Amino acid sequence: QLQLVESGGGLVQPGGSLRLSCAATGFTLEHSIIGWFRQAPGKEREGILCISSSSGSTYYANSVKGRFTISRDNTKNTVYLQMNSLKPADTGLYYCAVAQWYNKNVGCGRVDYWGQGTQVTVSS
């Protein structure tokens, strides 16, 4: 069975950093399109980063560009989200997901599989 498990969320002060992990079972991340999404309280779910299959081409939403970095460790079948310079507006539930399409200028979509989510809270 295909499964994604997020971890690494928590409480952090503004300006701090967190590193989220998305571990996959049942499929190979190297050959999959992986996206990170978040949903803040009272807001729509937002796609923030994507990484394409094999080539490692990446997309970053303007809201996180320059602060967040997505990477992949093929030996561990895990995708990471490094979040720096965190703001209170970054607070939300963060999900990784397997997507069906990728566009370097738009992001990724047609999500088939979601992780369970990990909570990120940025507050003083």
Side-chain angles (χ1 to χ4, degrees):
Q1 297 88 342
L2 281 71
Q3 188 173 4
L4 297 168
V5 179
E6 301 100 332
S7 62
L11 175 65
V12 65
Q13 293 184 341
S17 298
L18 284 174
R19 184 176 183 243
L20 307 184
S21 299
C22 175
T25 58
F27 66 100
T28 302
L29 285 178
E30 184 179 5
H31 303 296
S32 301
I33 300 165
I34 302 297
W36 281 96
F37 300 78
R38 69 184 181 188
Q39 188 164 22
K43 300 291 185 179
E44 296 291 326
R45 186 170 295 177
E46 174 191 16
I48 54 174
L49 312 94
C50 303
I51 185 167
S52 68
S53 59
S54 297
S55 70
S57 176
T58 54
Y59 161 86
Y60 296 88
N62 288 334
S63 59
V64 305
K65 191 176 297 182
R67 300 188 298 119
F68 291 10
T69 303
I70 190 170
S71 62
R72 182 175 60 207
D73 186 336
N74 294 330
T75 64
K76 297 181 179 180
N77 210 30
T78 299
V79 169
Y80 301 98
L81 174 58
Q82 179 66 47
M83 306 187 297
N84 299 323
S85 302
L86 284 163
K87 308 172 182 178
D90 294 318
T91 294
L93 192 61
Y94 283 68
Y95 302 88
C96 64
V98 177
Q100 294 302 305
W101 59 261
Y102 169 84
N103 184 294
K104 65 181 180 180
N105 297 313
V106 176
C108 53
R110 188 58 176 169
V111 171
D112 290 330
Y113 302 98
W114 297 91
Q116 85 286 356
T118 186
Q119 179 67 38
V120 172
T121 302
V122 184
S123 176
S124 298

